[in-house]
């Protein structure tokens, strides 16, 4: 049972919504109530937030933050058609407004129909400056049955579009297409769906609609079909046109067009209802109801997203001079975020995130104070301040993009769990000509497969993968196995895209209590090895065998050590490893306390038997030194300023790595090496893989691999060109900086630009 406070809050919300519905049904306000209109303006990170602006006496003005409260914010949001306010912000968070400050010392009970009914000093009576302009963040949910009412007799074009909902309604021949890319545009106002007259409709308007539905572009449609349909259908037009600039994140960010005279069947006589036709990104090519034929992979090598829980969200990273780096959040806004989203094949941005909200990156911060018009083809075309310094990864920018509705959640469900984030995995599959729910065989079921399930359901990251689910009583009728042999790479958007047995099932243990299960989480850790530390601490040591007996028993030496005499020496490639947790959740071992293993060499318990792989490889990937599987005791060696250590190995303590901390295994610790005694001189690749068996779920596995070039002459060793993840050079593209922009170039063009710079030349178009 929820606590009394929670019940009271819910009752208050319902009462407020009821009050608004009453206001909507009876538009008459008490005599003497000033007539106003509201809008949200300023530098937004979401379309449902902004600086509160009031239209009164023929002029737009702002509201001072003195005495403003969440009750006043609720009145503002409901007046704009949102269910409630989430928060409010003082001190001109969304930028300083212009003109008059209409309201000051606003006091609301929360039940007022309009902000004009709240107590205040009176319109225009204020001692505030625009540095005190108040802003609000509204709930995304719109009020059911909300009807837009304009109180402006003129200047209606200064108002934003305020409708309950927007949809693309496909004609019958298009309804089975997934995703739905074409159809009539309709807005819901006053509880009824209405069309928009196309007489003033522009490509920029279509661009915005397509963007909010997850599509990066728009195109022309076959007008003949819709002209024929228009003659047969009864139309119900909305009373306004729409005026978008093209870089708005949604229709609610657009301004109203001219009023449309509603004359029944004679409305919009010279026009037709608006139709939009959108172009999907490469990963969302239209297909039949089965969804896609290929897994999702970002094909654009210049900008990427990392650390996001769901498709179309993540920390923004840019490739420059062969190295991936992040973007600082100074001046980061929806326009810049939308450029990123469209560049990657998504729609417009739902949200421009700041403050490392989706995890912190590593390496350089490539761009700061980014300014985009919203029409650039790539973020690398936007202007940025290359002289601005001082940004840390705590300020890494991120995005959440609009993605097409693919209906993936309808073909998968979690059953029997204690909450919506866990349960037995059940799949909708075809059996004997009909669709039935069934389970997934748990043989080979692991964290990667669980990650795909959580992503498909929009539940974030995988927390655990379960091979027994007897404790979750699922639907008995769905006990039969309908999918077996599942193997995922982790890039798939649906479980059906993973390799599996198809119609020829093979599951010896059967379903029921042995069916696959998952638990999901909205956040996850993210381990990254500090490549510079490895590069700077590498050296060779010749160590006598008689002091390596403990290490030999723990299999830290190559197999030839078994026949070595106690007086012989082993040549060890030593290095330090510094492993950072850049995610949003602490990294905790999967094994419980009672299953940890005591290691005599290190004199402490190891919570993960295989935490890293150390390997020396030839250029074709062959192991030249027998790989060493290192087990670790996980603890916080050091943390960033302001973060306290939580985990330590001593005294059988709790193990893990806190967010913002790192675990350092020094070069002088036993087993922190590779035995290279039998390696011949030559050039090699040194590789470290963290969490190689995916025992613990992370937000990003691509940064778990570090590789270095390594040269060994039989006496000395050089470690150089260390990098994390995939090597950018293999894409054939690089980013170069010219005149405050980043430009895409082929390697030869990069060389040419460098050459031209030497001649003080201007930017080359690449």
């Amino acid at each position: 049972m929820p606590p009394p406070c929670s019940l009271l809050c819910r009752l208050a919300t319902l009462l407020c919504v009821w009050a608004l519905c009453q206001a909507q049904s009876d538009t008459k306000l008490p005599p003497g109530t000033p007539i106003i209109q509201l809008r949200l303006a300023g530098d937004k990170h979401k379309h449902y937030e902004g600086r509160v602006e009031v239209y009164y006496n023929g002029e737009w003005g702002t509201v001072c933050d003195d005495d403003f409260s969440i009750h006043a914010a609720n009145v503002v949001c409901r007046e704009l058609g949102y269910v409630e306010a989430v928060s409010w912000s003082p001190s001109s968070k969304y930028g300083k407004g212009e003109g008059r400050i209409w309201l000051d010392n606003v006091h609301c009970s929360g039940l007022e129909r309009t902000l004009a009914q709240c107590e205040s000093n009176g319109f225009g009576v204020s001692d505030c400056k625009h540095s005190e302009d108040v802003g609000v963040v509204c709930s995304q949910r719109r009020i059911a049955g909300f009807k837009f009412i304009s109180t402006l007799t003129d200047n209606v074009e200064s108002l934003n579009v305020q409708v309950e909902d927007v949809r693309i309604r496909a004609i019958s021949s298009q309804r089975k297409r997934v995703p739905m890319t074409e159809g009539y545009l309709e807005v819901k106002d006053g509880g009824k769906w209405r069309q928009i007259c196309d007489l003033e409709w522009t490509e920029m308007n279509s661009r915005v609609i397509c963007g909010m539905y997850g599509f990066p572009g728009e195109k022309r449609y076959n007008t003949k079909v819709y002209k024929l349909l228009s003659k047969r259908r009864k139309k119900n037009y909305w009373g306004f046109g729409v005026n978008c600039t093209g870089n708005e994140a949604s229709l609610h960010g657009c301004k109203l067009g001219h009023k449309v005279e509603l004359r029944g069947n004679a409305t919009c006589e010279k026009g037709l209802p608006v139709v939009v036709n959108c172009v999907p990104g490469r990963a969302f090519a239209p297909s039949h109801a089965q969804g896609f034929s290929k897994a999702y992979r970002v094909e654009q090598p210049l900008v990427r997203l990392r650390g996001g829980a769901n498709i179309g969200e993540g920390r923004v990273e840019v490739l420059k001079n062969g190295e991936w780096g992040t973007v600082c959040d100074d001046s980061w806004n929806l326009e810049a975020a939308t450029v990123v989203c469209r560049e990657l094949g998504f729609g417009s941005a739902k949200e421009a995130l700041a403050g490392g909200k989706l995890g912190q990156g590593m390496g350089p911060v490539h761009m700061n104070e980014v300014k985009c018009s919203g029409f650039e083809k790539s973020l690398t075309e936007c202007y940025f301040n290359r002289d601005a310094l001082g940004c840390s990864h705590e300020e890494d920018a991120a995005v959440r993009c609009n993605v097409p509705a693919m209906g993936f959640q309808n073909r998968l469900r979690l059953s029997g769990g204690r909450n919506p984030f866990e349960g037995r995995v059940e799949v909708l599959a075809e059996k004997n000509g009909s669709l039935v729910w069934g389970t997934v065989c748990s043989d080979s079921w692991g964290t990667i497969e669980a990650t795909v399930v959580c992503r498909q359901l929009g539940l974030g990251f995988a927390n655990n993968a379960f091979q027994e689910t007897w404790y979750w009583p699922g639907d008995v009728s769905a006990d039969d196995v309908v999918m077996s042999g599942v193997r995922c790479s982790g890039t798939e958007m649906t479980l059906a895209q993973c390799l599996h047995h198809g119609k020829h099932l093979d599951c010896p243990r059967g379903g029921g209590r042995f069916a696959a299960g998952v638990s999901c989480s909205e956040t996850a850790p993210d381990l990254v090895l500090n490549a510079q530390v490895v590069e700077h601490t590498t050296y060779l040591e010749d160590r006598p065998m008689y002091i390596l007996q403990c290490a030999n028993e723990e299999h830290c030496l190559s197999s030839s050590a078994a026949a070595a005499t106690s007086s012989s020496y082993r040549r060890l490639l030593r290095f330090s490893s510094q492993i950072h947790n850049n995610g949003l959740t602490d990294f905790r071992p999967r094994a419980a306390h009672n299953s940890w293993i005591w290691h005599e060499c290190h004199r402490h318990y190891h919570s993960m038997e295989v935490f890293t792989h150390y390997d020396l490889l030839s250029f074709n990937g062959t192991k030249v030194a027998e790989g060493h599987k290192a087990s670790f005791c996980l603890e916080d060696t050091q943390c960033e300023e302001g973060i306290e250590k939580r985990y330590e190995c001593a005294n059988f303590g709790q193990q893990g790595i806190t967010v913002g901390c790192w675990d350092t295994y020094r070069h002088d610790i036993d087993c922190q090496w590779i035995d290279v005694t039998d390696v011949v001189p030559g050039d090699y690749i040194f590789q470290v893989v963290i969490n190689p068996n995916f025992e613990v779920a992370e937000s990003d596995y691509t940064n778990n691999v570090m590789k270095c070039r390594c040269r060994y002459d039989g006496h000395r060793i050089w470690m150089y060109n260390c990098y994390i993840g995939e090597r950018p050079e293999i894409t054939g593209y690089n980013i170069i900086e010219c005149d405050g922009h980043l430009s895409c170039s082929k390697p030869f063009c990069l060389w040419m630009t460098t050459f031209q710079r030497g001649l003080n030349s201007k930017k080359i178009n690449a």
Side-chain angles (χ1 to χ4, degrees):
M1 180 177 178
C5 179
S6 176
L7 283 174
L8 288 173
C9 292
R10 292 180 186 178
L11 286 171
T13 300
L14 289 172
L15 184 60
C16 293
V17 174
W18 173 83
L20 185 75
C21 291
Q22 289 295 105
Q24 286 281 303
S25 61
D26 181 9
T27 58
K28 293 182 180 179
L29 293 170
T33 303
I35 304 300
I36 65 170
Q37 198 84 48
L38 300 182
R39 71 181 181 188
L40 300 181
D43 303 324
K44 304 180 184 183
H45 284 216
K46 300 181 278 282
H47 72 266
Y48 42 88
E49 69 175 0
R51 181 177 61 246
V52 179
E53 294 194 349
V54 180
Y55 188 81
Y56 175 73
N57 200 24
E59 184 181 350
W60 284 102
T62 62
V63 177
C64 182
D65 58 18
D66 292 349
D67 295 338
F68 203 84
S69 67
I70 192 64
H71 301 302
N74 275 323
V75 173
V76 168
C77 290
R78 291 198 303 271
E79 192 168 354
L80 290 170
Y82 299 99
V83 168
E84 60 186 344
V86 175
S87 63
W88 65 278
S89 302
S91 307
S92 62
K93 176 183 176 181
Y94 300 100
K96 296 179 183 180
E98 297 178 348
R100 304 281 293 275
I101 298 176
W102 278 126
L103 294 172
D104 188 6
N105 297 113
V106 177
H107 293 268
C108 302
S109 68
L111 298 178
E112 292 84 357
R113 299 180 186 178
T114 169
L115 194 65
Q117 287 183 290
C118 298
E119 294 181 8
S120 69
N121 292 349
F123 279 86
V125 181
S126 173
D127 59 356
C128 292
K129 298 179 181 179
H130 281 298
S131 59
E132 300 171 83
D133 287 343
V134 77
V136 299
V137 179
C138 300
S139 163
Q140 295 186 59
R141 293 180 298 147
R142 303 287 295 177
I143 295 171
F146 178 82
K147 182 173 177 59
F148 171 68
I149 301 167
S150 173
T151 60
L152 276 62
T153 54
D154 55 7
N155 200 23
V156 70
E157 293 83 2
S158 64
L159 287 174
N160 283 25
V161 174
Q162 298 172 25
V163 292
E164 181 185 340
D165 202 357
V166 185
R167 74 179 182 187
I168 297 175
R169 180 170 61 83
I171 59 176
S172 56
S173 62
Q174 301 280 342
R175 285 177 187 165
K176 291 185 179 181
R177 291 175 70 88
V178 178
M180 186 190 301
T181 57
E182 180 182 336
Y184 288 107
L185 174 67
E186 296 185 340
V187 296
K188 196 174 187 181
D189 186 40
K192 295 181 179 179
W193 288 104
R194 305 173 190 274
Q195 297 85 39
I196 298 177
C197 181
D198 71 353
L199 289 179
E200 295 182 351
W201 193 258
T202 66
E203 287 186 8
M204 292 296 102
N205 295 351
S206 293
R207 173 183 165 88
V208 172
I209 297 298
C210 291
M212 68 183 289
Y213 276 93
F215 304 112
E218 75 292 332
K219 63 180 180 180
R220 296 181 181 275
Y221 61 92
N222 186 346
T223 56
K224 293 180 180 179
V225 173
Y226 290 95
K227 282 181 179 179
L228 289 172
L229 288 172
S230 180
K231 294 177 181 179
R232 305 173 192 167
R233 293 176 180 268
K234 183 179 179 181
K235 294 174 283 293
N236 183 17
Y237 284 104
W238 192 44
F240 297 92
V242 174
N243 183 17
C244 304
T245 62
N247 60 6
E248 294 87 353
S250 78
L251 185 65
H252 295 99
C254 298
K255 302 296 183 186
L256 288 176
H258 293 106
K259 285 186 176 180
V260 174
E261 187 179 353
L262 301 178
R263 298 180 297 159
N265 292 334
T267 305
C268 193
E269 276 186 310
K270 297 181 180 179
L272 296 169
V274 166
V275 174
V276 293
N277 189 13
C278 304
V279 179
R282 294 179 186 176
F284 300 94
S287 66
H288 296 291
Q290 292 298 321
F292 322 55
S293 58
K294 61 180 181 179
Y296 164 70
R297 288 182 177 84
V298 177
E299 297 181 31
Q300 171 57 269
L302 307 180
V303 177
R304 69 184 185 184
L305 301 183
R306 286 291 183 266
N310 298 301
I311 298 299
E313 70 177 36
R315 178 179 61 253
V316 180
E317 296 188 351
V318 179
L319 182 63
K320 175 186 172 186
N321 296 334
E323 186 175 12
W324 287 103
T326 60
V327 177
C328 186
D329 61 13
D330 293 348
S331 303
W332 187 248
N333 57 21
L334 278 175
E335 283 78 13
T338 291
V339 171
V340 171
C341 291
R342 291 185 187 273
E343 178 179 2
L344 295 176
F346 306 113
S348 54
K350 287 192 291 189
E351 193 171 353
L353 296 155
K357 289 268 181 78
L358 295 185
Q360 298 180 22
M362 296 215 31
V365 178
H366 281 326
M367 301 177 77
N368 189 13
E369 296 181 11
V370 178
K371 295 179 181 178
C372 304
S373 68
F375 295 97
E376 293 85 354
K377 296 294 184 184
S378 171
L379 184 69
T380 61
E381 296 176 11
C382 298
Y383 175 83
F384 70 100
N385 187 353
R386 59 181 173 180
D387 298 320
L389 302 173
C391 259
S392 69
H393 286 297
E394 293 177 355
E395 302 170 85
D396 283 345
V399 298
R400 284 197 176 101
C401 306
N402 287 309
V403 297
M406 304 298 296
F408 293 148
Q409 293 93 332
N410 302 329
R411 305 188 68 84
L412 192 71
R413 69 186 184 189
L414 301 184
S415 179
R418 297 163 297 179
N419 57 64
F421 285 82
E422 67 177 19
R424 184 175 78 175
V425 178
E426 295 180 358
V427 178
L428 189 62
E430 188 173 340
K431 190 174 182 180
N432 299 326
S434 60
L435 292 174
V436 297
W437 287 100
T439 56
V440 178
C441 185
S442 62
D443 292 350
S444 74
W445 186 257
T447 304
I448 298 297
E449 289 72 33
T451 296
V452 175
V453 168
C454 294
R455 181 189 299 138
Q456 181 174 348
L457 292 172
L459 299 178
F461 305 104
N463 201 17
N464 281 297
F466 301 96
Q467 294 188 341
E468 291 187 15
T469 52
W470 52 267
Y471 36 80
W472 286 331
D475 188 344
V476 177
S477 65
D479 277 352
D480 291 343
V481 173
V482 295
M483 182 180 282
S484 66
V486 179
R487 286 275 201 283
C488 301
S489 67
T491 63
E492 298 86 355
M493 297 180 75
T494 71
L495 198 64
Q497 292 173 3
C498 299
L499 293 173
H500 59 279
H501 288 153
K503 295 181 180 179
H504 304 288
L505 302 176
D506 181 17
C507 189
R509 296 203 303 171
R513 60 176 294 171
F514 296 111
V518 302
S519 64
C520 305
S521 173
E522 293 179 337
T523 56
D526 183 21
L527 298 187
V528 185
L529 183 67
N530 190 324
Q532 285 187 332
V533 169
V534 174
E535 193 168 336
H536 294 163
T537 58
T538 305
Y539 65 96
L540 291 176
E541 181 192 12
D542 290 337
R543 197 169 180 84
M545 190 66 194
Y546 67 84
I547 61 174
L548 291 173
Q549 293 304 316
C550 181
N552 194 30
E553 290 175 9
E554 293 192 14
H555 308 291
C556 296
L557 302 175
S558 61
S559 57
S560 64
T565 63
S566 60
S567 60
S568 63
Y569 282 76
R570 307 300 296 180
R571 177 156 290 181
L572 307 176
L573 170 59
R574 283 187 174 274
F575 57 93
S576 295
S577 66
Q578 187 183 97
I579 299 171
H580 294 245
N581 182 2
N582 288 350
L584 299 175
T585 304
D586 293 354
F587 185 93
R588 298 297 310 279
R590 185 177 177 183
H593 252 79
N594 57 3
S595 62
W596 293 358
I597 299 172
W598 174 259
H599 280 249
E600 190 63 31
C601 287
H602 295 165
R603 304 294 299 171
H604 56 223
Y605 285 92
H606 285 182
S607 57
M608 292 182 69
E609 189 56 32
V610 180
F611 180 64
T612 56
H613 282 179
Y614 301 149
D615 290 303
L616 196 64
L617 312 172
S618 67
F619 286 159
N620 64 7
T622 304
K623 292 183 181 180
V624 295
E626 292 181 23
H628 169 50
K629 298 179 180 179
S631 52
F632 271 53
C633 168
L634 303 175
E635 67 177 3
D636 296 328
T637 307
Q638 284 182 283
C639 298
E640 294 174 2
E641 186 177 353
I643 299 176
E644 293 185 6
K645 299 178 183 179
R646 296 183 185 177
Y647 307 106
E648 62 177 351
C649 296
N651 303 318
F652 200 35
Q654 290 287 335
Q655 293 191 23
I657 306 176
T658 304
V659 174
C661 299
W662 54 91
D663 185 4
T664 301
Y665 256 56
R666 287 174 50 86
H667 53 81
D668 52 1
I669 295 176
D670 266 3
C671 296
Q672 187 60 30
W673 63 55
I674 291 181
D675 185 352
V676 295
T677 305
D678 306 319
V679 175
V680 299
D683 290 321
Y684 301 102
I685 295 172
F686 173 63
Q687 176 178 280
V688 178
V689 183
I690 307 170
N691 191 16
N693 298 335
F694 312 112
E695 283 187 41
V696 179
E698 297 185 51
S699 61
D700 185 5
Y701 289 113
T702 63
N703 56 14
N704 282 26
V705 180
M706 186 216 69
K707 292 183 180 181
C708 301
R709 293 289 297 272
C710 179
R711 173 164 291 182
Y712 174 49
D713 67 357
H715 305 283
R716 295 167 297 178
I717 197 158
W718 292 266
M719 199 78 73
Y720 59 100
N721 285 358
C722 295
Y723 61 93
I724 301 292
E726 71 269 19
R727 193 173 182 85
E729 287 86 341
I730 64 172
T731 63
Y733 287 87
N734 276 293
I735 295 293
I736 55 175
E737 183 181 326
C738 295
D739 302 330
H741 293 74
L742 293 181
S743 300
C744 166
S745 69
K746 292 281 189 179
F748 78 88
C749 195
L750 176 64
W751 176 84
M752 279 295 293
T753 305
T754 306
F755 175 75
Q756 290 287 83
R757 272 185 176 171
L759 300 177
N760 294 320
S761 179
K762 294 183 178 180
K763 175 183 171 183
I764 290 181
N765 291 323

